[in-house]
Amino acid sequence: MRQVRDADARSELLASEFDDPAVVQGKAMFDSKAIACISCHVVTGKPGSGGDKKAPDLNLAKSRLKVKWMLEWLRDPAQLEPGTGMTKFPWGPGYPELGGDGEAQMNAIVD
């Protein structure tokens, strides 16, 4: 998401981003029980997020990480960091969102 300083412009940008069907489906996947990002990751402002795991706070991801790296990470975390506790999800037909298109699903999660 772009960094916007004016509060009204920021609210308008957020509203338009959440009107994007792919972003809405990505959020649904993020919050779903099947993927359950907050079962391991802290997400500031989400009660109960992080469980007892020490996964990074995902609110910081967009400001710290490049989109290309995040997509590679979601595709195969152990390829980038052998021994990681991050799950390799079966993106694609295993999830109905975005027509079962794994690349579209990962992009929507990152967005």
Side-chain angles (χ1 to χ4, degrees):
M1 180 179 359
R2 297 186 317 240
Q3 189 170 18
V4 180
R5 297 194 190 283
D6 178 89
D8 291 332
R10 186 170 42 246
S11 294
E12 188 174 305
L13 177 64
L14 285 171
S16 68
E17 285 187 0
F18 286 115
D19 285 343
D20 179 341
V23 173
V24 171
Q25 289 186 48
K27 183 179 180 338
M29 291 182 75
F30 182 93
D31 291 337
S32 74
K33 289 184 180 180
I35 297 175
C37 299
I38 65 170
S39 67
C40 297
H41 289 275
V42 171
V43 179
T44 304
K46 285 210 179 239
S49 67
D52 61 352
K53 307 267 187 342
K54 300 296 183 217
D57 185 333
L58 294 179
N59 283 326
L60 306 175
K62 279 281 200 174
S63 64
R64 293 182 45 241
L65 305 171
K66 294 180 192 261
V67 170
K68 181 181 177 191
W69 187 91
M70 289 189 282
L71 292 170
E72 289 174 13
W73 178 256
L74 287 174
R75 194 170 291 110
D76 189 357
Q79 180 82 26
L80 295 176
E81 187 179 319
T84 183
M86 173 72 176
T87 301
K88 180 178 179 180
F89 291 97
W91 304 110
Y95 301 110
E97 292 83 5
L98 297 163
D101 179 337
E103 289 298 313
Q105 292 165 349
M106 289 184 291
N107 276 293
I109 291 277
V110 168
D111 285 343

